[in-house]
Amino acid sequence: MNPNIEQASIEEITSFQDEKLRTVLNYLNTHSSYYRRLFKTEAINIQSIRGIRDLPLLPTTSKEQLQQFNWDFLCVPQDQIIDYSTTSGTLGTPVVFGLTDADLERLAYNEMISFQRVGIQKGDRVQIMTTLDRRFMAGLAYFLGLRKIGAGILRIGAGIPQMQWDSIQQFKPKFLVVVPSFLLKMIAYAEEHNIDYNNSSVKVAICIGENLRTAELKDNELAKRIQEKWNIALYSTYASTEMSSAFTECEAFNGGHQHPELIITEILDNDGNAVPDGQLGELVVTTLGIQAMPLLRYKTGDMVRRHAAPCTCGRNSYRIGPVEGRKQQMIKYKGTTLFPPAMFDVLASYEEIEHYQIEISSTAIGTDDIRVLISAKQENAALLKEIKDSFQAKLRVIPTVEFEREEILISKIYNPLNRKPTYLLDKREQ
C-alpha cells in the first residue's frame, strides 16, 4: 500500500493509476466470466487501454447488470470467500459481494487511513453507533480499520440514546461513528436528563449516511443545528459496498479525498461524457486491489461534484462533494428538477419537526407528486405554512405537507427489515 501517493503530484498520481488500471483489466480478463464475456462481445482489446485517459473506450457497468449476473462477477472460487456483504437494496434487489481475506485487509486499510485523516490514533477510544450485523459492510469496515490503528472500540450499535450516553460516560470515547441526525436525538436526551454534553469526552463525530455539506461545501442545516448546541467537529464520509473504499474529509472540511491506490473515479453526464470539475454528474468508479468482485466503470447512481483545486491539507488527490441525489430518485415537480437531499435539508432546519418522511408517487397523467409527512411537538397550521414557504423560497416548489401521528411515522421510517431509516418512500414505477 502507498498512502503517500495522495501527496504526490497530479502527474505521478495519474501515472500510478494508469498502471493500476492495466493490472485490473488483465485480472478481469483472466478471472471474471462477466467481464471476459463483455470484452469478447464488445470486441475490446484490453491491451489497447493504456491508462485512465482511455476509460471512455470501455463500457460501463450498471446496478441492473450486477443484480442480473451477480455471481458472474466473482473472480475467485467461493471457498475463498471469508465474508458475504450485501448492498442496502435502496434502489432495488440487494447485491451480494464476497470478500476474500485480502479484500478484508484492503477494507481495513481503507478505513485506517480514513480514520487517521480525522485524527484517530492508537489508544484513542471510538464508539461505533452503527450496526455490525445484517451483512452490513460499513460496520465491519469501521471495526477492522480501528483495530488496524490500535484504537479502543466500543461496539454499541445503532439507536437508543440512553445506552449511547451510558457508554460515553463510562468509557469516555473521544470519537463517535454515527449517522448525524441521530446526534440531535443524543442532544435532546442529554438536555432532558441533565447531561452536560459539551463537557463530555466526545470531541469528534465521523458522520455517515447523511450529508453535512451543501453543494458549495458549506455546512448544511443539519450540521448547523448540531453545532449550534454541541461543540464537536463533524467530519463527513461517503462510501458504498460496491466501492469498498471511502471518501473522507480532512481538516479543511472541503470534500472527501479520493484514495488513488484504491479507486479510480469519473463524473459523467447523461450521455456518458465527463463533466467539468465542479459540475454535477454521476459518479462512476473502477475499484483497485480487489480480489473477489472488482468492478470496471461501475455507475453508482450517486450525483456528485468533483473538486480538483489544491487542498490546504497538502494532499493532491481530488475530492468528492456531498451526494446531492441519486439518479433514479430525481424528481420532476411542476417544472422543477430536484433531488430528495435538498428537501431533507429544508426539513432539518426545523427543530419543531421530530420525524419526517417524503413520499414520491406518480399522478394519473404520469407526472411526479410529492407528499411530506411530519410529526411535530405541536401541530398547527402556522408551522405547515412556514414549512411550505421554506420549500417555496429554497427550492421554488410547494409540496403537500401533512401531519402524521408519531407512532405511525416511526413505524414507516424505522422498518426493522431495513438497515437504514427510510426517509424517502419512492412509489413511482421505475
Side-chain angles (χ1 to χ4, degrees):
M1 296 296 185
N2 183 14
N4 294 328
I5 190 65
E6 296 186 45
Q7 279 82 24
S9 68
I10 299 298
E11 293 75 19
E12 289 172 316
I13 292 174
T14 300
S15 177
F16 176 87
Q17 290 207 311
D18 286 345
E19 182 180 349
K20 292 288 186 180
L21 176 61
R22 294 193 294 269
T23 299
V24 167
L25 288 172
N26 286 320
Y27 184 82
L28 291 173
N29 196 45
T30 304
H31 298 284
S32 170
S33 60
Y34 176 82
Y35 283 112
R36 186 167 55 247
R37 184 169 65 242
L38 180 65
F39 295 155
K40 184 176 181 179
T41 302
E42 299 290 331
I44 294 170
N45 176 12
I46 61 171
Q47 302 307 319
S48 67
I49 308 299
R50 304 309 303 158
I52 57 178
R53 184 175 296 179
D54 296 329
L55 279 170
L57 301 176
L58 297 166
T60 57
T61 301
S62 69
K63 169 80 79 170
E64 291 72 26
Q65 289 163 335
L66 263 178
Q67 290 167 333
Q68 185 177 0
F69 305 107
N70 198 165
W71 291 113
D72 286 355
F73 285 84
L74 188 64
C75 293
V76 299
Q78 284 207 30
D79 63 6
Q80 291 187 26
I81 300 300
I82 303 298
D83 180 79
Y84 290 87
S85 294
T86 55
T87 59
S88 61
T90 304
L91 298 176
T93 305
V95 174
V96 178
F97 276 83
L99 291 89
T100 66
D101 191 63
D103 291 337
L104 289 173
E105 179 60 29
R106 175 190 176 280
L107 192 66
Y109 172 78
N110 163 79
E111 291 301 334
M112 179 187 75
I113 59 177
S114 297
F115 283 139
Q116 287 173 334
R117 179 164 300 160
V118 306
I120 298 178
Q121 304 175 33
K122 179 180 175 63
D124 284 331
R125 286 185 289 278
V126 184
Q127 187 154 312
I128 301 179
M129 300 166 62
T130 65
T131 183
L132 271 71
D133 56 7
R134 302 187 186 183
R135 300 193 301 275
F136 184 45
M137 180 185 284
L140 174 64
Y142 304 144
F143 175 82
L144 293 175
L146 293 169
R147 178 176 181 268
K148 196 171 182 67
I149 290 174
I153 308 167
L154 302 167
R155 295 178 291 107
I156 306 303
I160 315 178
Q162 178 182 351
M163 187 166 60
Q164 305 292 349
W165 276 117
D166 286 348
S167 176
I168 290 169
Q169 292 174 317
Q170 180 178 358
F171 296 102
K172 297 180 170 46
K174 180 180 178 181
F175 299 86
L176 306 178
V177 180
V178 61
V179 175
S181 60
F182 187 72
L183 292 173
L184 294 175
K185 299 185 187 302
M186 294 281 290
I187 292 169
Y189 181 91
E191 290 177 340
E192 185 178 345
H193 293 83
N194 298 314
I195 297 172
D196 187 0
Y197 50 89
N198 271 310
N199 284 315
S200 73
S201 62
V202 177
K203 304 302 177 188
V204 177
I206 299 98
C207 296
I208 68 165
E210 295 173 344
N211 289 343
L212 291 173
R213 316 291 173 223
T214 65
E216 296 77 26
L217 301 180
K218 305 297 183 182
D219 288 350
N220 66 10
E221 293 297 332
L222 176 58
K224 289 176 183 177
R225 278 191 62 194
I226 295 167
Q227 293 191 306
E228 280 170 359
K229 293 203 167 188
W230 200 351
N231 184 28
I232 56 175
L234 303 177
Y235 286 87
S236 184
T237 183
Y238 159 63
S240 72
T241 300
E242 294 92 333
M243 296 190 297
S244 286
S245 55
F247 297 83
T248 304
E249 289 181 327
C250 66
E251 62 271 19
F253 304 103
N254 205 23
H257 280 274
Q258 175 217 27
H259 296 317
E261 55 191 320
L262 301 180
I263 199 163
I264 296 169
T265 63
E266 306 167 77
I267 313 294
L268 306 182
D269 63 20
N270 288 334
D271 297 319
N273 301 313
V275 303
D277 288 338
Q279 289 194 14
L280 190 66
E282 181 179 9
L283 179 66
V284 176
V285 302
T286 297
T287 56
L288 303 175
I290 291 178
Q291 281 188 345
M293 294 182 68
L295 296 176
L296 176 67
R297 302 197 79 204
Y298 174 70
K299 299 167 71 174
T300 65
D302 291 337
M303 304 299 290
V304 301
R305 302 173 197 265
R306 187 172 90 161
H307 301 273
C311 185
T312 56
C313 74
R315 296 178 181 87
N316 290 316
S317 53
Y318 57 76
R319 303 172 311 283
I320 298 295
V323 176
E324 297 178 39
R326 291 194 167 179
K327 195 170 183 179
Q328 287 179 255
Q329 293 175 342
M330 184 178 73
I331 303 163
K332 291 277 192 179
Y333 186 68
K334 298 180 180 179
T336 298
T337 299
L338 66 157
F339 290 98
M343 294 188 285
F344 297 158
D345 201 40
V346 171
L347 297 168
S349 65
Y350 285 90
E351 189 173 346
E352 299 91 335
I353 297 177
E354 295 184 317
H355 305 281
Y356 65 81
Q357 186 179 67
I358 298 172
E359 293 183 357
I360 312 299
S361 58
S362 298
T363 66
I365 60 174
T367 58
D368 293 342
D369 191 45
I370 304 173
R371 182 169 173 247
V372 180
L373 300 176
I374 64 171
S375 65
K377 297 174 181 176
Q378 292 186 339
E379 297 185 4
N380 57 72
L383 177 59
L384 288 182
K385 183 180 184 304
E386 188 179 344
I387 294 170
K388 291 178 181 180
D389 289 346
S390 287
F391 274 107
Q392 174 67 41
K394 296 179 180 179
L395 303 180
R396 302 188 303 279
V397 299
I398 304 178
T400 300
V401 182
E402 301 174 352
F403 288 115
E404 179 62 277
R405 293 213 322 264
E406 182 179 31
E407 61 271 22
I408 294 177
L409 200 49
I410 288 175
S411 68
K412 289 181 176 182
I413 297 169
Y414 301 101
N415 186 330
L417 298 178
N418 296 334
R419 292 194 307 223
K420 302 177 182 177
T422 306
Y423 297 117
L424 177 75
L425 190 60
D426 195 341
K427 296 181 176 181
R428 298 172 296 181
E429 291 187 8
Q430 300 294 341

PDB file of all heavy atoms in Angstrom, residues 149-175:
ATOM      1  N   ILE A 149      -5.576   0.402  13.402  1.00  0.00           N
ATOM      2  CA  ILE A 149      -4.927   1.551  14.024  1.00  0.00           C
ATOM      3  C   ILE A 149      -4.442   1.207  15.432  1.00  0.00           C
ATOM      4  O   ILE A 149      -3.399   1.679  15.887  1.00  0.00           O
ATOM      5  CB  ILE A 149      -5.891   2.758  14.093  1.00  0.00           C
ATOM      6  CG1 ILE A 149      -6.148   3.316  12.688  1.00  0.00           C
ATOM      7  CG2 ILE A 149      -5.353   3.869  15.001  1.00  0.00           C
ATOM      8  CD1 ILE A 149      -7.192   4.404  12.641  1.00  0.00           C
ATOM      9  N   GLY A 150      -5.212   0.380  16.130  1.00  0.00           N
ATOM     10  CA  GLY A 150      -4.927   0.080  17.529  1.00  0.00           C
ATOM     11  C   GLY A 150      -5.773   0.912  18.467  1.00  0.00           C
ATOM     12  O   GLY A 150      -5.400   1.134  19.635  1.00  0.00           O
ATOM     13  N   ALA A 151      -6.934   1.365  17.966  1.00  0.00           N
ATOM     14  CA  ALA A 151      -7.842   2.161  18.798  1.00  0.00           C
ATOM     15  C   ALA A 151      -8.674   1.245  19.690  1.00  0.00           C
ATOM     16  O   ALA A 151      -8.859   0.059  19.399  1.00  0.00           O
ATOM     17  CB  ALA A 151      -8.745   3.012  17.908  1.00  0.00           C
ATOM     18  N   GLY A 152      -9.214   1.819  20.778  1.00  0.00           N
ATOM     19  CA  GLY A 152     -10.155   1.094  21.619  1.00  0.00           C
ATOM     20  C   GLY A 152     -11.552   1.242  21.034  1.00  0.00           C
ATOM     21  O   GLY A 152     -12.018   2.360  20.806  1.00  0.00           O
ATOM     22  N   ILE A 153     -12.248   0.139  20.808  1.00  0.00           N
ATOM     23  CA  ILE A 153     -13.512   0.152  20.069  1.00  0.00           C
ATOM     24  C   ILE A 153     -14.676  -0.176  20.999  1.00  0.00           C
ATOM     25  O   ILE A 153     -14.650  -1.181  21.715  1.00  0.00           O
ATOM     26  CB  ILE A 153     -13.479  -0.862  18.915  1.00  0.00           C
ATOM     27  CG1 ILE A 153     -12.230  -0.651  18.042  1.00  0.00           C
ATOM     28  CG2 ILE A 153     -14.745  -0.746  18.061  1.00  0.00           C
ATOM     29  CD1 ILE A 153     -11.956  -1.800  17.081  1.00  0.00           C
ATOM     30  N   LEU A 154     -15.703   0.670  20.930  1.00  0.00           N
ATOM     31  CA  LEU A 154     -16.932   0.451  21.692  1.00  0.00           C
ATOM     32  C   LEU A 154     -18.040   0.152  20.683  1.00  0.00           C
ATOM     33  O   LEU A 154     -18.529   1.053  20.000  1.00  0.00           O
ATOM     34  CB  LEU A 154     -17.278   1.688  22.524  1.00  0.00           C
ATOM     35  CG  LEU A 154     -16.180   2.115  23.510  1.00  0.00           C
ATOM     36  CD1 LEU A 154     -16.449   3.503  24.046  1.00  0.00           C
ATOM     37  CD2 LEU A 154     -16.084   1.109  24.645  1.00  0.00           C
ATOM     38  N   ARG A 155     -18.454  -1.110  20.571  1.00  0.00           N
ATOM     39  CA  ARG A 155     -19.439  -1.543  19.564  1.00  0.00           C
ATOM     40  C   ARG A 155     -20.839  -1.456  20.161  1.00  0.00           C
ATOM     41  O   ARG A 155     -21.382  -2.445  20.634  1.00  0.00           O
ATOM     42  CB  ARG A 155     -19.127  -2.964  19.102  1.00  0.00           C
ATOM     43  CG  ARG A 155     -17.803  -3.098  18.349  1.00  0.00           C
ATOM     44  CD  ARG A 155     -17.501  -4.527  17.951  1.00  0.00           C
ATOM     45  NE  ARG A 155     -17.199  -5.371  19.102  1.00  0.00           N
ATOM     46  CZ  ARG A 155     -18.010  -6.293  19.585  1.00  0.00           C
ATOM     47  NH1 ARG A 155     -19.197  -6.503  19.050  1.00  0.00           N
ATOM     48  NH2 ARG A 155     -17.649  -7.010  20.637  1.00  0.00           N
ATOM     49  N   ILE A 156     -21.432  -0.280  20.121  1.00  0.00           N
ATOM     50  CA  ILE A 156     -22.737  -0.086  20.762  1.00  0.00           C
ATOM     51  C   ILE A 156     -23.873  -0.388  19.787  1.00  0.00           C
ATOM     52  O   ILE A 156     -24.931  -0.867  20.182  1.00  0.00           O
ATOM     53  CB  ILE A 156     -22.864   1.356  21.300  1.00  0.00           C
ATOM     54  CG1 ILE A 156     -21.675   1.676  22.209  1.00  0.00           C
ATOM     55  CG2 ILE A 156     -24.184   1.516  22.055  1.00  0.00           C
ATOM     56  CD1 ILE A 156     -21.513   0.726  23.370  1.00  0.00           C
ATOM     57  N   GLY A 157     -23.667  -0.128  18.511  1.00  0.00           N
ATOM     58  CA  GLY A 157     -24.728  -0.330  17.535  1.00  0.00           C
ATOM     59  C   GLY A 157     -25.609   0.900  17.407  1.00  0.00           C
ATOM     60  O   GLY A 157     -25.376   1.934  18.044  1.00  0.00           O
ATOM     61  N   ALA A 158     -26.647   0.788  16.586  1.00  0.00           N
ATOM     62  CA  ALA A 158     -27.483   1.943  16.266  1.00  0.00           C
ATOM     63  C   ALA A 158     -28.551   2.179  17.332  1.00  0.00           C
ATOM     64  O   ALA A 158     -29.011   1.253  17.991  1.00  0.00           O
ATOM     65  CB  ALA A 158     -28.141   1.739  14.903  1.00  0.00           C
ATOM     66  N   GLY A 159     -28.951   3.467  17.467  1.00  0.00           N
ATOM     67  CA  GLY A 159     -30.107   3.821  18.276  1.00  0.00           C
ATOM     68  C   GLY A 159     -29.872   3.843  19.773  1.00  0.00           C
ATOM     69  O   GLY A 159     -28.753   3.684  20.269  1.00  0.00           O
ATOM     70  N   ILE A 160     -30.953   4.051  20.521  1.00  0.00           N
ATOM     71  CA  ILE A 160     -31.042   4.030  21.986  1.00  0.00           C
ATOM     72  C   ILE A 160     -30.095   5.051  22.625  1.00  0.00           C
ATOM     73  O   ILE A 160     -28.996   4.713  23.093  1.00  0.00           O
ATOM     74  CB  ILE A 160     -30.778   2.632  22.565  1.00  0.00           C
ATOM     75  CG1 ILE A 160     -31.535   1.560  21.766  1.00  0.00           C
ATOM     76  CG2 ILE A 160     -31.152   2.584  24.039  1.00  0.00           C
ATOM     77  CD1 ILE A 160     -31.301   0.149  22.231  1.00  0.00           C
ATOM     78  N   PRO A 161     -30.503   6.330  22.669  1.00  0.00           N
ATOM     79  CA  PRO A 161     -29.650   7.376  23.252  1.00  0.00           C
ATOM     80  C   PRO A 161     -29.160   7.062  24.663  1.00  0.00           C
ATOM     81  O   PRO A 161     -28.015   7.362  25.012  1.00  0.00           O
ATOM     82  CB  PRO A 161     -30.562   8.610  23.238  1.00  0.00           C
ATOM     83  CG  PRO A 161     -31.506   8.364  22.097  1.00  0.00           C
ATOM     84  CD  PRO A 161     -31.750   6.880  22.108  1.00  0.00           C
ATOM     85  N   GLN A 162     -30.022   6.459  25.487  1.00  0.00           N
ATOM     86  CA  GLN A 162     -29.603   6.169  26.862  1.00  0.00           C
ATOM     87  C   GLN A 162     -28.378   5.256  26.884  1.00  0.00           C
ATOM     88  O   GLN A 162     -27.419   5.499  27.624  1.00  0.00           O
ATOM     89  CB  GLN A 162     -30.749   5.524  27.641  1.00  0.00           C
ATOM     90  CG  GLN A 162     -30.347   5.151  29.064  1.00  0.00           C
ATOM     91  CD  GLN A 162     -31.462   4.462  29.842  1.00  0.00           C
ATOM     92  OE1 GLN A 162     -32.592   4.401  29.373  1.00  0.00           O
ATOM     93  NE2 GLN A 162     -31.150   3.957  31.029  1.00  0.00           N
ATOM     94  N   MET A 163     -28.394   4.203  26.052  1.00  0.00           N
ATOM     95  CA  MET A 163     -27.275   3.277  26.013  1.00  0.00           C
ATOM     96  C   MET A 163     -26.016   3.963  25.485  1.00  0.00           C
ATOM     97  O   MET A 163     -24.902   3.707  25.970  1.00  0.00           O
ATOM     98  CB  MET A 163     -27.631   2.061  25.154  1.00  0.00           C
ATOM     99  CG  MET A 163     -26.589   0.962  25.186  1.00  0.00           C
ATOM    100  SD  MET A 163     -27.210  -0.599  24.498  1.00  0.00           S
ATOM    101  CE  MET A 163     -27.621  -0.107  22.831  1.00  0.00           C
ATOM    102  N   GLN A 164     -26.191   4.848  24.511  1.00  0.00           N
ATOM    103  CA  GLN A 164     -25.046   5.567  23.967  1.00  0.00           C
ATOM    104  C   GLN A 164     -24.412   6.460  25.032  1.00  0.00           C
ATOM    105  O   GLN A 164     -23.187   6.474  25.208  1.00  0.00           O
ATOM    106  CB  GLN A 164     -25.476   6.413  22.755  1.00  0.00           C
ATOM    107  CG  GLN A 164     -26.178   5.665  21.641  1.00  0.00           C
ATOM    108  CD  GLN A 164     -25.285   4.690  20.898  1.00  0.00           C
ATOM    109  OE1 GLN A 164     -24.055   4.690  21.061  1.00  0.00           O
ATOM    110  NE2 GLN A 164     -25.880   3.833  20.076  1.00  0.00           N
ATOM    111  N   TRP A 165     -25.254   7.193  25.778  1.00  0.00           N
ATOM    112  CA  TRP A 165     -24.718   8.077  26.811  1.00  0.00           C
ATOM    113  C   TRP A 165     -24.124   7.299  27.980  1.00  0.00           C
ATOM    114  O   TRP A 165     -23.103   7.703  28.550  1.00  0.00           O
ATOM    115  CB  TRP A 165     -25.804   9.030  27.307  1.00  0.00           C
ATOM    116  CG  TRP A 165     -25.959  10.241  26.435  1.00  0.00           C
ATOM    117  CD1 TRP A 165     -27.048  10.621  25.716  1.00  0.00           C
ATOM    118  CD2 TRP A 165     -24.954  11.232  26.184  1.00  0.00           C
ATOM    119  NE1 TRP A 165     -26.791  11.792  25.030  1.00  0.00           N
ATOM    120  CE2 TRP A 165     -25.516  12.187  25.305  1.00  0.00           C
ATOM    121  CE3 TRP A 165     -23.638  11.413  26.621  1.00  0.00           C
ATOM    122  CZ2 TRP A 165     -24.800  13.291  24.856  1.00  0.00           C
ATOM    123  CZ3 TRP A 165     -22.926  12.514  26.162  1.00  0.00           C
ATOM    124  CH2 TRP A 165     -23.510  13.439  25.289  1.00  0.00           C
ATOM    125  N   ASP A 166     -24.728   6.162  28.319  1.00  0.00           N
ATOM    126  CA  ASP A 166     -24.152   5.325  29.380  1.00  0.00           C
ATOM    127  C   ASP A 166     -22.732   4.907  29.014  1.00  0.00           C
ATOM    128  O   ASP A 166     -21.819   4.935  29.858  1.00  0.00           O
ATOM    129  CB  ASP A 166     -25.018   4.082  29.601  1.00  0.00           C
ATOM    130  CG  ASP A 166     -26.323   4.392  30.326  1.00  0.00           C
ATOM    131  OD1 ASP A 166     -26.452   5.520  30.858  1.00  0.00           O
ATOM    132  OD2 ASP A 166     -27.210   3.519  30.344  1.00  0.00           O
ATOM    133  N   SER A 167     -22.546   4.529  27.748  1.00  0.00           N
ATOM    134  CA  SER A 167     -21.216   4.115  27.292  1.00  0.00           C
ATOM    135  C   SER A 167     -20.248   5.296  27.287  1.00  0.00           C
ATOM    136  O   SER A 167     -19.085   5.163  27.699  1.00  0.00           O
ATOM    137  CB  SER A 167     -21.318   3.504  25.887  1.00  0.00           C
ATOM    138  OG  SER A 167     -20.039   3.174  25.392  1.00  0.00           O
ATOM    139  N   ILE A 168     -20.719   6.450  26.808  1.00  0.00           N
ATOM    140  CA  ILE A 168     -19.859   7.638  26.779  1.00  0.00           C
ATOM    141  C   ILE A 168     -19.411   8.016  28.186  1.00  0.00           C
ATOM    142  O   ILE A 168     -18.229   8.313  28.428  1.00  0.00           O
ATOM    143  CB  ILE A 168     -20.597   8.821  26.110  1.00  0.00           C
ATOM    144  CG1 ILE A 168     -20.768   8.550  24.608  1.00  0.00           C
ATOM    145  CG2 ILE A 168     -19.838  10.134  26.321  1.00  0.00           C
ATOM    146  CD1 ILE A 168     -21.702   9.511  23.903  1.00  0.00           C
ATOM    147  N   GLN A 169     -20.340   7.987  29.127  1.00  0.00           N
ATOM    148  CA  GLN A 169     -19.999   8.385  30.491  1.00  0.00           C
ATOM    149  C   GLN A 169     -19.090   7.375  31.182  1.00  0.00           C
ATOM    150  O   GLN A 169     -18.252   7.743  32.006  1.00  0.00           O
ATOM    151  CB  GLN A 169     -21.283   8.603  31.294  1.00  0.00           C
ATOM    152  CG  GLN A 169     -22.070   9.824  30.813  1.00  0.00           C
ATOM    153  CD  GLN A 169     -23.415   9.967  31.502  1.00  0.00           C
ATOM    154  OE1 GLN A 169     -24.147   9.001  31.688  1.00  0.00           O
ATOM    155  NE2 GLN A 169     -23.767  11.189  31.889  1.00  0.00           N
ATOM    156  N   GLN A 170     -19.231   6.095  30.808  1.00  0.00           N
ATOM    157  CA  GLN A 170     -18.393   5.078  31.436  1.00  0.00           C
ATOM    158  C   GLN A 170     -17.000   4.987  30.817  1.00  0.00           C
ATOM    159  O   GLN A 170     -15.989   4.936  31.539  1.00  0.00           O
ATOM    160  CB  GLN A 170     -19.075   3.712  31.353  1.00  0.00           C
ATOM    161  CG  GLN A 170     -18.259   2.595  31.997  1.00  0.00           C
ATOM    162  CD  GLN A 170     -18.950   1.253  31.949  1.00  0.00           C
ATOM    163  OE1 GLN A 170     -20.080   1.140  31.463  1.00  0.00           O
ATOM    164  NE2 GLN A 170     -18.295   0.219  32.445  1.00  0.00           N
ATOM    165  N   PHE A 171     -16.938   4.993  29.450  1.00  0.00           N
ATOM    166  CA  PHE A 171     -15.667   4.715  28.772  1.00  0.00           C
ATOM    167  C   PHE A 171     -14.980   5.955  28.216  1.00  0.00           C
ATOM    168  O   PHE A 171     -13.825   5.897  27.827  1.00  0.00           O
ATOM    169  CB  PHE A 171     -15.894   3.709  27.642  1.00  0.00           C
ATOM    170  CG  PHE A 171     -16.353   2.361  28.119  1.00  0.00           C
ATOM    171  CD1 PHE A 171     -17.693   1.997  28.031  1.00  0.00           C
ATOM    172  CD2 PHE A 171     -15.463   1.459  28.686  1.00  0.00           C
ATOM    173  CE1 PHE A 171     -18.129   0.766  28.471  1.00  0.00           C
ATOM    174  CE2 PHE A 171     -15.889   0.216  29.135  1.00  0.00           C
ATOM    175  CZ  PHE A 171     -17.227  -0.128  29.035  1.00  0.00           C
ATOM    176  N   LYS A 172     -15.717   7.067  28.135  1.00  0.00           N
ATOM    177  CA  LYS A 172     -15.165   8.358  27.722  1.00  0.00           C
ATOM    178  C   LYS A 172     -14.471   8.316  26.349  1.00  0.00           C
ATOM    179  O   LYS A 172     -13.294   8.669  26.227  1.00  0.00           O
ATOM    180  CB  LYS A 172     -14.224   8.902  28.791  1.00  0.00           C
ATOM    181  CG  LYS A 172     -14.944   9.183  30.111  1.00  0.00           C
ATOM    182  CD  LYS A 172     -14.015   9.724  31.174  1.00  0.00           C
ATOM    183  CE  LYS A 172     -14.799  10.217  32.380  1.00  0.00           C
ATOM    184  NZ  LYS A 172     -15.868   9.298  32.862  1.00  0.00           N
ATOM    185  N   PRO A 173     -15.191   7.908  25.300  1.00  0.00           N
ATOM    186  CA  PRO A 173     -14.609   7.954  23.952  1.00  0.00           C
ATOM    187  C   PRO A 173     -14.459   9.392  23.477  1.00  0.00           C
ATOM    188  O   PRO A 173     -15.263  10.272  23.811  1.00  0.00           O
ATOM    189  CB  PRO A 173     -15.642   7.208  23.109  1.00  0.00           C
ATOM    190  CG  PRO A 173     -16.944   7.460  23.813  1.00  0.00           C
ATOM    191  CD  PRO A 173     -16.600   7.450  25.280  1.00  0.00           C
ATOM    192  N   LYS A 174     -13.435   9.622  22.674  1.00  0.00           N
ATOM    193  CA  LYS A 174     -13.216  10.943  22.068  1.00  0.00           C
ATOM    194  C   LYS A 174     -13.949  11.047  20.730  1.00  0.00           C
ATOM    195  O   LYS A 174     -14.335  12.141  20.308  1.00  0.00           O
ATOM    196  CB  LYS A 174     -11.717  11.183  21.865  1.00  0.00           C
ATOM    197  CG  LYS A 174     -11.380  12.526  21.246  1.00  0.00           C
ATOM    198  CD  LYS A 174      -9.864  12.682  21.076  1.00  0.00           C
ATOM    199  CE  LYS A 174      -9.529  14.015  20.409  1.00  0.00           C
ATOM    200  NZ  LYS A 174      -8.057  14.174  20.209  1.00  0.00           N
ATOM    201  N   PHE A 175     -14.137   9.898  20.053  1.00  0.00           N
ATOM    202  CA  PHE A 175     -14.692   9.876  18.710  1.00  0.00           C
ATOM    203  C   PHE A 175     -15.976   9.046  18.660  1.00  0.00           C
ATOM    204  O   PHE A 175     -16.087   8.019  19.337  1.00  0.00           O
ATOM    205  CB  PHE A 175     -13.694   9.270  17.721  1.00  0.00           C
ATOM    206  CG  PHE A 175     -12.393  10.018  17.599  1.00  0.00           C
ATOM    207  CD1 PHE A 175     -11.337   9.754  18.472  1.00  0.00           C
ATOM    208  CD2 PHE A 175     -12.209  10.978  16.610  1.00  0.00           C
ATOM    209  CE1 PHE A 175     -10.138  10.437  18.369  1.00  0.00           C
ATOM    210  CE2 PHE A 175     -11.017  11.664  16.497  1.00  0.00           C
ATOM    211  CZ  PHE A 175      -9.974  11.400  17.374  1.00  0.00           C
TER     212      PHE A 175
END
